[in-house]
Amino acid sequence: MQTVFDSHVDPELVERSLAASSLDSMWLDIPRPSYDALSGSVTADLLVVGAGYTGLWTALHAAQRNPGQKIVLVDAERVGWAASGRNGGFVDASLTHGLANGKARWPNEIETLEAMGRENLDGMQDDIGQLRLDVDWERTGMLAVATEPHQVAWLQEAADGGEGRFVAQDEVRAEVASPTYLAGLFSPDTLAIVHPGKLALELARACVEAGVAIFERTNVTSIDSSGSAVRFGAGNGTVTAGRAVLATNVFPSLIMRNRLQTVPVYDYVLATEPLTDAQLDRVGWANRQGIGDSANQFHYYRLSADNRIVWGGYDAIYKFGRKVKPAYEDRPASYRRLAAHFFITFPQLDDVRFSHRWAGAIDTSTRFCAHWGLAHGGRVAYVNGFTGLGVGAARFAADVCLDLLEGRSSARTELEMVRKRPLPFPPEPLASIGIQATRWSLDRADHSAGRRNLLLRTLDALGLGFDS
Ligand SMILES: Cc1cc2nc3c(=O)[nH]c(=O)nc-3n(C[C@H](O)[C@H](O)[C@H](O)COP(=O)(O)OP(=O)(O)OC[C@H]3O[C@@H](n4cnc5c(N)ncnc54)[C@H](O)[C@@H]3O)c2cc1C
């Protein structure tokens, strides 16, 4: 069975549209300050490793909780250069990679998790307002769209379950003009969109203003917890800290037992040039919702403040060996596929060109959402595994890490989601074989009216899976 995304698109249009695009994240194509690399020895009350959103929120909230403490934040490269500077900028309230995943795994606490997720999203909006972070925050809501007949029933079911308002075909096309839309589900409260690069850089500014010392190009390579404080080998120096948070996401964990917990999955993104008013008029989209289609292999797309369309997803590529490598980012087949799918969705935009193309590694967990823990005698906290929905959840994750380090029981640390570890991925070659078989099955399901084969049903029953 074919899907709408198997429709023919003129290959010359695709080539032309990508010809002038540069291979880098549009979100990081902005002026930015530099922070020195660490050299020599420093001491700190708290060391935070990793200056993506998780590390930045951790450092900021730690400074707010206890203004007197000395906090050092280090990154192996630059602030926000990794997933935090490459994502779609969808700030979703869900802490569980969507309601369905959370409900299936934690049926007894899903209401609490949903409430905490909403509180986190509102809290993020308050933080951004109070700290005057200039991050193009727009509380647009989320529009899920059905592009295949069987997905219409899924959206109706989600609406019946309270996830939003079902929107019939005529209305959804009047909102955003795509001939692929068969229905929609609009959730007004659960999503904001943000400029991902500005969010990282502005959080860093707020950290510095709160007294945090930031060091870039400072790779942490060792942890020694044999003394009364923990000693970290960091760049050309050392940090001796009372406590630490590891916010290293998809990169090899400094805690060996966590190395099998996640796999890097490459996700690809395009950004158009700013649309002219005439081009935008052809699409409508006056309410600027974040949009996602509903297959296993899905696209997510949104407008930027200067009216570019940021268009990502579909391919989720895992490479044998679990490596994060810049060479994996240049994947012409994925960019061509994304461009073709863009013109299927918006055929009226065939005069639009892409200015940027980029990829990022998602830290995929078998349960599709973060897990936490303590190591080195309770002095080091870690979090990993956001699986493609970490922009909002990173702020919540930071607070969990701080609660854990303080050794205090909170509503957050009492969650089963926080207390339980997910199952790891197997080592190679099993990881690769399993993931490729799962990806193939997900593609087959998309081409078979959503029907899941034996492998997917078995994984569902075991609470295991692969997503982006
Ligand atoms: C293409 C793409 C699209 C996405 N779209 C969305 C979206 O629309 N919405 C959403 O919610 N989520 C999305 N995500 C996921 C989201 O971006 C991430 O979950 C989130 O940014 C994770 O933040 P982080 O701080 O944990 O990790 P990162 O941003 O990856 O930061 C980790 C940092 O740790 C540093 N580091 C690692 N090891 C060391 C070490 N040993 N020493 C020093 N520093 C170290 C790295 O250099 C890096 O800067 C997307 C991800 C990708 C890749």
Side-chain angles (χ1 to χ4, degrees):
M1 210 173 110
Q2 301 259 302
T3 77
V4 69
F5 294 112
D6 296 316
S7 311
H8 176 74
V9 179
D10 177 4
E12 280 183 16
L13 169 63
V14 168
E15 290 307 320
R16 230 178 14 250
S17 71
L18 288 166
S21 64
S22 60
L23 183 64
D24 52 14
S25 168
M26 187 266 285
W27 304 121
L28 295 174
D29 201 355
I30 50 175
R32 57 177 301 152
S34 266
Y35 298 94
D36 289 343
L38 178 73
S39 63
S41 299
V42 295
T43 59
D45 298 306
L46 177 71
L47 169 67
V48 181
V49 183
Y53 302 140
T54 309
L56 289 158
W57 283 115
T58 302
L60 181 64
H61 282 188
Q64 289 171 342
R65 283 186 192 199
N66 185 352
Q69 67 177 326
K70 186 170 176 201
I71 302 166
V72 169
L73 169 61
V74 301
D75 197 282
E77 301 273 340
R78 310 284 317 268
V79 168
W81 75 281
S84 297
R86 300 168 188 233
N87 61 76
F90 283 59
V91 193
D92 199 291
S94 177
L95 304 173
T96 58
H97 204 272
L99 178 62
N101 187 47
K103 217 183 228 173
R105 290 175 195 282
W106 300 290
N108 297 330
E109 65 183 29
I110 186 62
E111 279 180 25
T112 310
L113 287 166
E114 286 286 290
M116 285 181 168
R118 296 286 179 96
E119 201 182 306
N120 180 58
L121 182 63
D122 292 340
M124 188 163 166
Q125 182 161 312
D126 290 347
D127 279 352
I128 285 169
Q130 275 159 21
L131 295 163
R132 295 178 195 283
L133 306 186
D134 172 16
V135 297
D136 300 344
W137 178 269
E138 297 181 64
R139 195 77 183 252
T140 59
M142 176 74 191
L143 180 65
V145 293
T147 57
E148 299 295 327
H150 66 275
Q151 295 167 3
V152 176
W154 292 352
L155 296 188
Q156 183 67 65
E157 223 172 90
D160 294 345
E163 281 191 60
R165 184 173 70 82
F166 182 81
V167 188
Q169 175 175 307
D170 289 353
E171 195 189 335
V172 72
R173 291 188 187 186
E175 190 68 33
V176 182
S178 171
T180 64
Y181 295 173
L182 305 180
L185 174 77
F186 181 56
S187 313
D189 302 327
T190 56
L191 187 90
I193 54 173
V194 72
H195 185 305
K198 286 188 184 175
L199 179 60
L201 296 178
E202 284 285 90
L203 281 172
R205 179 177 66 78
C207 281
V208 171
E209 286 171 10
V212 175
I214 299 183
F215 297 98
E216 293 185 320
R217 301 192 171 90
T218 301
N219 189 22
V220 173
T221 50
S222 63
I223 307 182
D224 173 4
S225 57
S226 55
S228 57
V230 193
R231 210 173 128 90
F232 295 83
N236 293 324
T238 58
V239 182
T240 306
R243 304 248 184 283
V245 172
L246 306 181
T248 56
N249 196 31
V250 73
F251 299 90
S253 177
L254 289 156
I255 309 284
M256 285 313 277
R257 67 169 183 267
N258 282 344
R259 292 226 167 157
L260 292 180
Q261 292 293 336
T262 59
V263 290
V265 170
Y266 277 82
D267 190 48
Y268 299 84
V269 193
L270 299 175
T272 68
E273 293 170 343
L275 265 54
T276 62
D277 290 348
Q279 287 168 332
L280 197 53
D281 276 352
R282 288 181 228 150
V283 185
W285 212 343
N287 292 312
R288 305 175 60 81
Q289 306 91 334
I291 302 181
D293 48 37
S294 304
N296 292 306
Q297 299 186 97
F298 61 93
H299 308 89
Y300 54 88
Y301 42 108
R302 49 148 310 170
L303 292 165
S304 64
D306 59 352
N307 289 334
R308 298 164 187 272
I309 297 178
V310 175
W311 172 266
Y314 202 83
D315 279 353
I317 302 295
Y318 172 72
K319 297 275 193 180
F320 183 95
R322 279 192 160 86
K323 296 267 188 312
V324 180
K325 272 194 192 172
Y328 296 161
E329 293 170 22
D330 193 7
R331 192 165 195 276
S334 291
Y335 296 122
R336 277 193 218 110
R337 191 172 358 263
L338 272 178
H341 292 181
F342 176 89
F343 292 118
I344 290 167
T345 304
F346 296 124
Q348 69 275 45
L349 295 184
D350 61 357
D351 55 343
V352 166
R353 300 287 172 264
F354 298 104
S355 59
H356 295 76
R357 63 189 203 283
W358 70 93
I362 283 175
D363 65 330
T364 295
S365 147
T366 56
R367 72 181 197 188
F368 312 150
C369 59
H371 71 100
W372 292 261
L374 286 169
H376 295 277
R379 289 177 291 174
V380 176
Y382 58 80
V383 59
N384 292 94
F386 293 104
T387 317
L389 210 59
V391 179
R395 179 180 176 279
F396 174 84
D399 282 326
V400 174
C401 287
L402 293 173
D403 290 351
L404 288 171
L405 275 187
E406 286 171 12
R408 77 179 164 102
S409 164
S410 68
R412 288 181 285 253
T413 60
E414 287 306 307
L415 291 167
E416 196 186 331
M417 178 181 78
V418 170
R419 286 186 286 108
K420 286 219 166 139
R421 276 170 81 78
L423 285 168
F425 285 93
E428 293 290 17
L430 289 178
S432 200
I433 294 167
I435 289 170
Q436 303 313 355
T438 309
R439 282 197 61 223
W440 181 86
S441 303
L442 290 169
D443 186 54
R444 289 330 304 153
D446 286 341
H447 287 81
S448 317
R451 282 186 293 278
R452 296 169 83 77
N453 66 13
L454 185 61
L455 172 64
L456 294 180
R457 292 200 309 274
T458 308
L459 291 174
D460 291 345
L462 293 171
L464 291 171
F466 176 77
D467 208 332
S468 60

